[in-house]
């Protein structure tokens, strides 16, 4: 599990803000402001953070569902951003996405058969008989029955619809799946079933996951490593145990303090973050978290801390953990 399947370097997505009568560009929303990380084959890297931190933009940008402003994305050593539309279309067989709201992402007028066989038709794979068999097999893989292929999305529960969303992502035998808040719209009782299914499928098909969530408690079980994002940047990235047991960044510590701790012997003091998340159109100078950080020092307002490895692949961007203050 050591080979990186994906390498993201300095990825940026700046959305222009238009103003005035002539609709000129008057600024940029820096949704993603220079993110770098690697994902190893077969691992689950989770990206977490509050709404607007750039985690979903990261997922969509690296799949080129939205085009990045700057940066590189290497998948199995190949630069995805150098591919033309047709080459990228072919590459999408390997790179799939599962969306948060399965109902919105499934065409309500199509049967499940039609929804699941569509990627096969687009990529000209198999005849109608082979496609039907593949759909039956996919439904069984995600714990549904082949008889349900004739039904429409509204005839399924939320959890079943997300199983269909996962089946669709599996149709072309992908290598990497970006799961963007895949269980956030589901009841808590159903969330664990879908997460368990995703874990089983990962093992069965040797999948690599980038799992995006606003909730650190959801990703605890499924992650190998966790990256914490704030205002378009990664502020901490480490293996799961270190993030949950020894978080270094004050923002990670605050997020974790709100997560119920399964071990009754571990007591965490709840850290309430004051102030709103600043606008990504006008982020604070220096460390972007300084307006909400109780450890703020003079340097924090002036200098953006580097994102550095403080040992054992534990990366953090905070002056408390740098020696150049
Ligand atoms: Fe807080 Fe400063 Fe660290 Fe930013 S760099 S998180 S403001 S201590």
């Amino acid at each position: 599990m050591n080979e990186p399947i994906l390498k993201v370097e300095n990825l940026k997505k700046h959305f222009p803000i238009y103003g005035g009568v002539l609709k000129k560009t008057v600024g940029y929303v820096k949704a993603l402001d220079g993110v770098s990380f690697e994902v190893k084959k077969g691992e689950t890297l989770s990206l977490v953070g509050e709404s607007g931190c750039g985690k979903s933009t990261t997922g969509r940008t690296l799949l080129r569902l939205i085009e990045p402003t700057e940066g590189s994305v290497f998948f199995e050593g190949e630069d995805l951003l150098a591919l033309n539309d047709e080459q990228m279309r072919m590459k999408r067989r390997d790179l799939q996405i599962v969306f948060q709201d399965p109902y919105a992402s499934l065409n309500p007028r199509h049967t499940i058969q039609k929804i699941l066989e569509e990627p096969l038709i687009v990529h000209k794979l198999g005849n109608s008989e082979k496609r039907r068999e593949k759909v039956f097999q996919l439904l069984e893989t995600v714990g549904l029955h082949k008889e349900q292929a004739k039904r429409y999305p509204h005839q399924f529960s939320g959890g079943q619809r997300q199983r269909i969303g996962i089946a669709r992502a599996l149709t072309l035998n992908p290598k990497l799946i970006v799961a963007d808040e895949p269980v956030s719209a589901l009841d808590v009782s159903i969330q664990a079933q879908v997460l368990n299914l995703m874990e089983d499928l990962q093992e069965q098909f040797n999948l690599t996951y980038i799992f995006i969530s606003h909730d650190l408690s959801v990703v605890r079980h499924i992650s190998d490593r966790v990256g914490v994002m704030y205002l378009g940047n990664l502020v901490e990235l480490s293996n799961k145990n270190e993030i949950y047991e020894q978080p270094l960044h004050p923002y990670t510590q605050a997020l974790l303090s709100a997560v119920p701790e399964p071990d009754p012997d571990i007591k965490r003091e709840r850290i309430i973050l004051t102030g709103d998340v600043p606008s990504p159109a006008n982020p604070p100078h220096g460390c972007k978290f300084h307006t909400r950080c109780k450890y703020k020092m003079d340097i924090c307002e002036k200098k953006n801390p580097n994102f550095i490895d403080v040992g054992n692949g534990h990366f953090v961007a905070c002056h408390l953990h740098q020696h150049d203050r």
Side-chain angles (χ1 to χ4, degrees), residues 3 43 80 102 110 135 189 208 216 233 266 282 309:
E3 189 189 332
E43 83 165 334
L80 293 185
H110 289 176
V135 168
S189 57
T208 304
L216 268 162
N233 294 101
I266 297 180
N282 188 21
D309 185 350

Side-chain angles (χ1 to χ4, degrees), residues 25-43:
T25 304
V26 293
Y28 290 92
V29 172
K30 296 177 179 174
L32 196 56
D33 202 19
V35 166
S36 303
F37 60 87
E38 290 182 1
V39 189
K40 296 180 201 99
K41 195 166 182 179
E43 83 165 334

Side-chain angles (χ1 to χ4, degrees), residues 50-68:
E50 291 164 292
S51 167
C53 71
K55 54 192 188 304
S56 291
T57 307
T58 305
R60 284 169 164 73
T61 308
L62 66 89
L63 296 180
R64 289 185 60 189
L65 296 176
I66 47 181
E67 290 294 332

Side-chain angles (χ1 to χ4, degrees), residues 152-195:
Y152 290 85
H154 74 269
Q155 295 176 291
F156 293 87
S157 67
Q160 287 174 324
R161 282 199 288 265
Q162 194 53 294
R163 284 172 190 268
I164 295 163
I166 293 167
R168 188 177 51 180
L170 291 175
T171 308
L172 298 169
N173 303 324
K175 296 175 180 170
L176 183 141
I177 292 182
V178 173
D180 189 359
E181 302 265 14
V183 298
S184 304
L186 305 178
D187 289 348
V188 175
S189 57
I190 307 295
Q191 287 184 354
Q193 292 173 15
V194 173
L195 290 172

Side-chain angles (χ1 to χ4, degrees), residues 249-251 287-297 299-301 303 305 317-321:
H249 197 282
Y251 179 58
C287 170
K288 290 180 183 172
F289 187 60
H290 83 250
T291 52
R292 303 168 83 195
C293 180
K294 65 177 179 177
Y295 303 107
K296 185 184 85 173
M297 301 167 284
I299 191 174
C300 304
E301 291 182 41
K303 188 172 175 201
C318 173
H319 289 301
L320 291 171
H321 303 282

